[in-house]
Amino acid sequence: MSAKNTTRRKFIERTLLASGAIILAPNFISCKKDEDLTVSELDTTLLTIKNFNEGVASFDPSSSSVLLWTRYASADAEIIWEVAIDPSFSSILRSGKITTETSRDHTIAIELTALNENLKLYYRFANIADNALSVTGETITLPEEASSVKLAVCSCSNYQAGLFNTYDAMANSNADIIVHLGDYFYEYGAGGYGSTAENASLNRQHKPANEIITLEDYRTRYKQYRSDTDLQLAHQKKPFICVWDDHEIANDTYKNGAENHDETTEGSFEIRKQNALQSYSEYLPFSRQDKDNNSIIYRTINIGNLVNMIMLDTRLIGRDKQLSVSNYFDATGLNTAALENDLNDPSRSILGTTQKEWLLSELTSNTNQWQVLGQQVLMGQMDIPIAMLTAFGSENFAEILTELVTIKVRMQNNDPTLTDAEKTKVLTTVPYNLDAWDGYPVDREQIYQALNGKKIVTLAGDTHNAWNNTLYAADGTEVGIELATSSISSPGFETYLGTTDAAFITGFEQALTTLIDGLRYFDASKRGYMMTTFTKTEITSEWIYVDTILSSSYETSIGHTITYS
């Protein structure tokens, strides 16, 4: 790249940054065979698998396209890439050359278009000058008409919290696609969140050691995570559909700030956000051109005219700052009227106006059997008794929880001896998590009302725990289900409960499913993923868990299964 072009790019980037725009690394588009020379025409015995240290990956398959990715160890290297319909590469479908650049940290993203539907594809990269070859990746194009599809759904991978056995399990599963709902990595420094005495021997401390702020910090963290062999295998074997959550930037991010960002000591949040999103687009590219050629993270992927996969950004583009329950306590207790007033403020949004209007249009116009929201946070309404909230972490928490559950069961059995005071103790509630859709009920209800009889399926991550909710509109109409995955390695509720005692955790799980209307399943302590199978008549979701993240020798089990039609 010439110095003139480099200067021009930097000027454009500074201008965009000042205007609040998002700078994303572009994809190279390939709609035909670009070069005559292929790896297959060379003596491959001279090539060694090396220098492609972060492996290979593919993203956002459609019936006619897919994105291929890799990273080479140095810039200004000419990379040959090729795609075949057989693992021996005897039948080359597409090939080309591309040169790596420092400006995008030597990463390469090739968006193949004009492909045939329903293909199994094999791809690889090579640098002839270095005699370097990548591993062979596997990916697909989607069928135009599908009778079924299997999605492995995951979230929340914390490198220093434990091994990525869940990625290995998904790589070796029969999933067609892996859907990653965010928190692909964590921004905290070495020894911070996720580090314990129990996992210290794994020697998986974050790099760089500091909390990540700069563009190079974020890139270094991606390279560390992508050095993990289990994660590499998952990317090598399965195409991913990804969306960011908060930790790709900073904890509890919203459109112009984050809980884990202090402008006094850490500088401009806008610059940090830009650093985070540029590096995200370098390492987790997505097919992001809308009809007006705009770069956007929210997008739809049509899976065989069966599943309309609607990927949302509930974190950055339009989210107003989260409310905090602690701000509504006064000398007399929780000021529920003030909290309700602010929660129902129609000006507050989790999506923003543009994305919300786009989503409502998608939901009303699409005719696929299943309308699926792939997004970050819990959508189900989950109100818990204030008495439970205020007792959490106290010595008598178990006693109070037992009392509340006993009262709720008596209410369900229409016990005539219940007092008004007992009923009030259970019925005086507050949303469990204002960082989720419960903190933005106006947006949620607008989505429910737009369904007009359609049912939605919401996929969620973020909490590190497994959930299954029935979704209800404000008038009590059932509008769909929520399927929320456990984490890959991040700690769950067991950390906040302060115990790993199985009996206590089971009791806590049963208590929440009793106290929260609409909550059908909850797991508070296991790590894993969901395997969700869509057919023309029903959905089957299996919560699959690994038995350890402290040893590479692990087993999987199905913890729970539901069917929805």
Side-chain angles (χ1 to χ4, degrees):
M1 180 180 293
S2 70
K4 182 178 179 181
N5 286 341
T6 301
T7 302
R8 180 175 181 272
R9 172 178 287 184
K10 289 186 177 299
F11 171 77
I12 292 171
E13 289 179 355
R14 286 196 297 269
T15 304
L16 288 170
L17 188 59
S19 67
I22 294 174
I23 306 165
L24 299 175
N27 302 327
F28 172 76
I29 307 297
S30 169
C31 58
K32 61 183 180 63
K33 189 173 182 180
D34 297 295
E35 298 287 345
D36 293 330
L37 179 64
T38 68
V39 179
S40 304
E41 295 171 323
L42 303 170
D43 183 355
T44 55
T45 61
L46 300 177
L47 301 180
T48 302
I49 294 178
K50 64 179 182 179
N51 295 349
F52 295 93
N53 300 326
E54 288 74 33
V56 300
S58 67
F59 300 91
D60 281 16
S62 76
S63 61
S64 61
S65 64
V66 69
L67 265 162
L68 307 182
W69 179 95
T70 193
R71 180 181 182 274
Y72 198 65
S74 63
D76 301 323
E78 186 177 73
I79 304 299
I80 297 175
W81 57 270
E82 63 180 5
V83 182
I85 58 174
D86 64 296
S88 63
F89 290 85
S90 61
S91 181
I92 302 300
L93 185 68
R94 192 78 60 84
S95 64
K97 290 181 182 177
I98 192 168
T99 301
T100 59
E101 296 181 359
T102 302
S103 64
R104 55 173 301 140
D105 202 29
H106 318 166
T107 61
I108 295 170
I110 302 165
E111 189 165 356
L112 305 182
T113 63
L115 298 172
N116 291 332
E117 56 127 359
N118 203 25
L119 295 176
K120 178 64 182 285
L121 300 174
Y122 301 86
Y123 62 96
R124 62 186 179 184
F125 303 85
N127 182 321
I128 305 307
D130 291 344
N131 292 326
L133 184 68
S134 75
V135 296
T136 297
E138 301 175 25
T139 193
I140 59 173
T141 59
L142 301 176
E144 292 182 353
E145 298 291 334
S147 58
S148 67
V149 63
K150 286 184 175 291
L151 304 179
V153 183
C154 65
S155 175
C156 304
S157 47
N158 187 323
Y159 189 88
Q160 60 187 10
L163 300 176
F164 287 167
N165 292 336
T166 296
Y167 280 128
D168 182 77
M170 290 188 291
N172 290 294
S173 75
N174 60 353
D176 298 303
I177 303 168
I178 294 175
V179 178
H180 201 299
L181 299 177
D183 291 347
Y184 187 90
F185 71 22
Y186 284 75
E187 82 279 17
Y188 300 114
Y193 178 69
S195 293
T196 64
E198 189 179 30
N199 60 39
S201 63
L202 297 175
N203 193 28
R204 288 170 66 90
Q205 296 293 297
H206 271 151
K207 295 179 183 178
N210 55 280
E211 182 177 321
I212 54 178
I213 303 289
T214 69
L215 178 58
E216 288 310 308
D217 287 344
Y218 281 97
R219 286 170 167 173
T220 299
R221 189 63 54 87
Y222 275 112
K223 287 191 279 284
Q224 180 186 37
Y225 274 60
R226 288 288 261 271
S227 72
D228 184 273
T229 56
D230 293 325
L231 177 52
Q232 284 192 14
L233 184 65
H235 277 300
Q236 180 186 352
K237 295 295 185 181
K238 307 290 182 182
F240 274 55
I241 298 173
C242 299
V243 70
W244 56 59
D245 195 7
D246 54 342
H247 289 288
E248 286 90 347
I249 304 94
N251 183 54
D252 284 356
T253 299
Y254 49 97
K255 63 184 179 183
N256 53 14
E259 178 276 332
N260 190 30
H261 184 81
D262 182 350
E263 295 219 344
T264 302
T265 59
E266 296 175 321
S268 164
F269 176 75
E270 286 300 318
I271 292 176
R272 181 179 187 176
K273 180 173 74 172
Q274 178 56 55
N275 292 337
L277 299 191
Q278 179 176 334
S279 60
Y280 183 97
S281 67
E282 292 168 352
Y283 283 84
L284 296 170
F286 49 92
S287 181
R288 58 182 185 271
Q289 300 302 322
D290 67 5
K291 62 182 178 63
D292 298 316
N293 205 36
N294 295 315
S295 296
I296 49 176
I297 185 70
Y298 57 90
R299 63 206 191 276
T300 60
I301 296 176
N302 177 20
I303 304 178
N305 287 326
L306 177 66
V307 174
N308 185 33
M309 176 61 71
I310 306 172
M311 302 302 290
L312 297 179
D313 175 6
T314 63
R315 186 56 72 179
L316 273 180
I317 292 176
R319 179 195 275 256
D320 290 302
K321 186 176 182 179
Q322 302 89 333
L323 300 178
S324 175
V325 171
S326 62
N327 292 335
Y328 294 88
F329 279 94
D330 55 32
T332 61
L334 180 64
N335 188 337
T336 55
L339 176 58
E340 285 295 321
N341 182 69
D342 288 349
L343 283 173
N344 291 294
D345 179 353
S347 70
R348 295 187 69 254
S349 180
I350 193 172
L351 295 175
T353 302
T354 303
Q355 183 180 196
K356 182 166 60 177
E357 290 177 352
W358 169 84
L359 171 60
L360 297 179
S361 175
E362 281 291 324
L363 289 173
T364 55
S365 63
N366 189 272
T367 59
N368 284 12
Q369 176 69 23
W370 301 108
Q371 305 298 313
V372 181
L373 306 186
Q375 50 89 60
Q376 298 81 358
V377 293
L378 291 171
M379 179 170 268
Q381 183 174 347
M382 295 202 293
D383 294 333
I384 60 173
I386 293 175
M388 175 184 167
L389 175 67
T390 55
F392 194 83
S394 66
E395 292 182 359
N396 60 342
F397 175 66
E399 178 184 340
I400 291 174
L401 192 62
T402 299
E403 178 189 11
L404 293 170
V405 170
T406 301
I407 294 171
K408 183 66 178 286
V409 171
R410 290 169 63 198
M411 290 174 62
Q412 293 170 340
N413 293 330
N414 298 313
D415 184 347
T417 66
L418 274 172
T419 67
D420 289 340
E422 288 174 322
K423 294 178 184 178
T424 299
K425 185 173 287 190
V426 168
L427 297 176
T428 305
T429 60
V430 67
Y432 150 69
N433 183 6
L434 297 183
D435 185 53
W437 285 85
D438 267 342
Y440 306 84
V442 175
D443 271 9
R444 180 173 59 191
E445 189 63 21
Q446 287 179 337
I447 292 168
Y448 289 170
Q449 293 304 314
L451 293 171
N452 195 28
K454 290 182 180 179
K455 298 289 180 67
I456 59 170
V457 179
T458 298
L459 306 178
D462 183 64
T463 69
H464 312 167
N465 301 289
W467 313 79
N468 170 215
N469 280 296
T470 302
L471 303 178
Y472 295 100
D475 63 3
T477 303
E478 182 182 328
V479 296
I481 60 166
E482 177 163 58
L483 308 172
T485 181
S486 179
S487 68
I488 290 166
S489 62
S490 298
F493 245 116
E494 75 280 3
T495 299
Y496 306 105
L497 294 172
T499 181
T500 57
D501 180 73
F504 183 84
I505 291 173
T506 298
F508 178 70
E509 293 164 348
Q510 293 171 346
L512 259 62
T513 54
T514 300
L515 292 170
I516 300 175
D517 296 330
L519 180 59
R520 308 302 181 204
Y521 171 66
F522 169 51
D523 182 272
S525 64
K526 299 184 185 71
R527 311 280 73 81
Y529 69 101
M530 292 189 307
M531 181 69 81
T532 305
T533 304
F534 297 84
T535 71
K536 292 184 180 296
T537 58
E538 65 183 20
I539 302 167
T540 301
S541 189
E542 300 171 314
W543 281 263
I544 299 174
Y545 300 118
V546 297
D547 63 346
T548 183
I549 57 172
L550 298 177
S551 167
S552 58
S553 298
Y554 72 93
E555 295 183 358
T556 61
S557 62
I558 299 174
H560 187 68
T561 303
I562 65 111
T563 300
Y564 182 77
S565 58

